[in-house]
Amino acid sequence: MTGTDPKVFALPPGVDFARALVEGLVARLQDEPPEAMARLRLILNAGRMSRRVREEFDRLGTRFLPRIELVSDLARLPIPGLAPPVSPLQRKLDLACLVDRLARGLPAFETGSGIFSLTDSLQALMAEMQSEGVHPEALEHLDIQASHAEHWRQSLDFIRIVARYFEAGAALDPEGRQRHVAERMARIWAETPTPERIILAGSTGSRGATRLLMQAVARLPRGALVLPGFDFDMTETAWNSLCSGPFPIEDHPQFRFRALLDALEIAPHQVPRWSETPPAAPARNALVSLALRPAPVTDQWMQEGTAFADLPAVCAGMTLIEAADPRQEALAVALVLRGAVARGRRAALISPDRMLTRRVAAALDRWGIVPDDSAGQPLPQTAPGRLIRHLARLLGRRVTMESLLVLLKHPLVATGSTLRGAHLRLTREFELTLRRKGPAFPDAAALRAWGATGDPDQIAWAHWLADLLEQLGPAQEQTISAWLETLFKLLEGFGSGPSGVVSASELWLGEAGQAALRTLSDLAAQEDTGLLVSAANFADLIESLLQEGQVRASLVSHPLVSFLGTLEARAHGAETVILAGLNEKSWPEAPTPDPWLSRKMRLDAGLLLPERQIGLSAHDFQQAIAAPEVVLSRARRDSEAETVPSRWLNRLLNLAGGLSAAQGPEALAQMRARGAHYLTLAAELDRPAQILPPVPRPAPRPPAAARPRQLPVTAIKTLIRDPYAIYAGRILRLRPLDPLKPGPDPRLRGEALHRIVELFVRDFDPSNSLESSQKRFADLAETVLEEMIPWPSTQRLWLFRLLKIAPQMVAQEAQRRSEAVPAVIEKTAKLDLGVQGFTLTARPDRIDLREDGTAVVYDYKSGTPPKEAEVRHFDKQLLLEAAMIRRGAFDDIGPRSVAAMTYIHLGGTGESRTLGFGPEEVEETWTRLQGLIARYLAPQQAFAARRAMQLSRDPSDYDHLSRFGEWDITDLPVPEDVG
């Protein structure tokens, strides 16, 4: 190369950039001594490109290599008079102090809320300003929009706090130092051009500092740029349209090249090819180029589209997979990759959707294929990362049952103990106790009390856990170092287990453990700024630091299969490329909202527009789709709603579908047919080897000896409506597991309200005034709710509702006491039904005796009381309790006739309702119950599932066991002898 050679070269999409770059270098230096290559300085855009270039040099045999550097290395170059960059973490902590002080002084801003999330966004803006060379003074002259003037004024108040970092002599961030280095190198080269050869390749110049360096290199006598994915098919009109409007079209894939060429005063048509290596599919490149034309010139579709004559041949290397859902898409993509491996072709999956790539990796596992995932596993999702995040979220808070059990079952807890098995056993036993009896917020006292009921191992385990829970830290704010010290102690304590052998813990072992330890150690090594933060803010800080880490899998990956991010599309060199997740909000990802500056303010200040990221993603798409064989895949629906195809895929399909003369519709049909082949394979792969018929509606017939001989009156309703629930619960003795995350459900509400009324009725004094009785009712309600309901908001809500009906409840109670006296309150009784030794039990809420000796039976209902028709046919509790009273089942009162049966509603307006049934209905109910029980004690009677549910949508605790859903309520029960 000489000083007269063009300084900007390019390679089109579809060319293996690394291979073509190396081959071009070798060809240009073939007439020079071998050491000339060693003197060449090659600056590349990314680490993966650097590895690919080295691989291509190795492929050509033994030879000298150039001095390979990365653009990002500029920030670390030792420059005389320029101090090393400040650690981003230290800058983050310093900036957080300023944000915290300013936030506390602003009105309508919640003190201490989201300090680090606010700091992160401000730090990102600061880094962009440094990289683009925008001083905060430029923001002072912006035209603030009148419609949101106050909002943008407050934004500028925040941004002003970073001005000190732009002053002369201030310590530089990596972005600021990289800009300084680029400016200094450009200035030195302009004054005294360097004689060495410098080639900067693979970068699009999307960052200000990188673009500045590229311009300086291009102007050197022996410097050159090699641009990736340059669109040689774009017309001059299309190039000019990128900058012709009031806003630049930054979302176009070629916009950054146009801006760079304008700065170098070079026209796009003056850019030569770096090598004559042809792209894999030149005609496809032209079609994609036309499809991606800027909106102002899409009329060129009509003009230039006539140049295509045979679109089926142009699209022969493309396959379109339109799956029904993400799971089907992942399986189809996995089959494409497996097919490529079977043919010995290198395949790459490119997608920004990390959930989709994890699904594909899981599908590939069935064939033992481990992909080379460039992104690795996010550190927060590794076992150490999850444990750290979980513990950080527990600091300074009440521990819930759910969060405690998640912690105890973590695979790294108690790994330093030889009693890991005992730890898991005690964890399960403690879980069952918590599910049955609570408390919802386990604390050290509850743990020690539970431990005291067991053996020495249980006592030691409970005390170990109780001691750790007491170290969770206070609720008030602390310094970061204090929180971090507490976090380290907890990690060591939980990792070691009850034995206390810290050194044996597996927490810090492996690549993930070492990465997590480095992250926390880096934070501990930073200078303490004295910033006081809440536990929630400290957890935010830990999570944000972990999010920056990635852990590469230690397993040996398959040499032919790789997962790449969109940025790596230019360096893949694969023969089969899959562009997956081609939906909006994925390709491209939605731009992150900017809380600081509006779009117009960014444009006026010289900062990057939100469309920049879309343009970069579009450029990655244009390069990836130019591979020799490409598969485009998307799911028509995600877990929430119908999806929208990616704008670039939409443009391509619309363009091809409109070129009827070139057989565009036929080409699209063939692309879809090739995709349908993989969807068919995916369906076959999911198809079971044997199709089992759905089970019929179950109606088990257990042996007569196994059938229950005792039921409470409340279970008779269940026996009538859902006999299968009696079979599962009373015969199989299967009990529903209490929820892991208890909440204020109707059962708990009923228990609490019944307890309040029971205490109130027991000690009710008719001589007291209604006002004093109401006060006592309110005091009882508050006390019981505080004892039984651990959720403060629920306590206040239920107390408010009770106080609302308190006057009516007290007045009704006074009226009842003038007519009768409570004789039985919450006492259990039993009575022989007179059918094969069957016993009926009852625990009525309340039975009063009137002066005439008759009884009144009451039932408190926290929900809506049943109507008389429901009582007559299904809900027979009060009728059966009345029959038991008539037969002397309750020793405290003996046989009595029942004058009334009344429901008292502990909600709504507190009304009561007396049933209109007399002694005849009571006796009829007793007789019919005898017949019902006699039938269900007979061996031929089946316990049908969901026999007469009140509503078809009402759930049963045993729907899963009966496999409801495979059968419908219209199906007839199929009796089956069991046991």
Side-chain angles (χ1 to χ4, degrees), residues 660-857:
S660 301
Q663 306 177 59
E666 291 82 353
L668 292 183
Q670 293 173 13
M671 289 171 58
R672 289 190 167 98
R674 289 190 286 270
H677 168 69
Y678 290 104
L679 293 176
T680 302
L681 290 179
E684 288 298 322
L685 195 62
D686 266 352
R687 193 185 306 278
Q690 179 182 2
I691 304 297
L692 298 177
V695 299
R697 186 176 184 175
R701 291 186 300 207
R707 302 192 178 215
R709 290 300 192 275
Q710 178 174 303
L711 286 177
V713 292
T714 52
I716 301 304
K717 172 185 175 182
T718 306
L719 181 63
I720 298 172
R721 288 196 178 277
D722 188 10
Y724 188 85
I726 298 296
Y727 163 75
R730 305 279 173 170
I731 299 177
L732 299 183
R733 298 182 182 178
L734 299 176
R735 298 286 185 269
L737 196 62
D738 292 311
L740 179 61
K741 188 175 182 180
D745 55 14
R747 187 185 69 172
L748 182 59
R749 181 170 181 266
E751 292 174 356
L753 297 186
H754 276 69
R755 180 61 178 164
I756 293 169
V757 176
E758 178 187 352
L759 294 176
F760 176 71
V761 171
R762 285 186 186 278
D763 299 327
F764 182 81
D765 188 350
S767 63
N768 290 338
S769 64
L770 293 180
E771 291 76 11
S772 61
S773 295
Q774 288 179 29
K775 183 179 184 306
R776 182 174 171 278
F777 182 84
D779 293 341
L780 275 174
E782 188 168 6
T783 301
V784 171
L785 290 176
E786 287 180 357
E787 292 176 354
M788 298 183 63
I789 309 301
W791 302 276
S793 58
T794 304
Q795 290 177 14
R796 308 319 299 173
L797 177 61
W798 289 359
L799 180 62
F800 170 77
R801 292 175 177 172
L802 282 174
L803 295 182
K804 191 175 179 181
I805 64 173
Q808 182 159 340
M809 292 284 296
V810 172
Q812 288 179 357
E813 184 60 28
Q815 177 65 30
R816 294 186 193 103
R817 288 302 178 95
S818 66
E819 302 173 353
V821 177
V824 175
I825 298 177
E826 297 282 352
K827 287 187 178 180
T828 303
K830 59 178 62 177
L831 184 66
D832 190 332
L833 187 65
V835 178
Q836 302 182 32
F838 186 89
T839 302
L840 187 67
T841 65
R843 186 183 176 88
D845 292 336
R846 173 179 177 182
I847 301 174
D848 285 7
L849 292 182
R850 292 181 175 178
E851 294 181 356
D852 60 2
T854 59
V856 180
V857 59

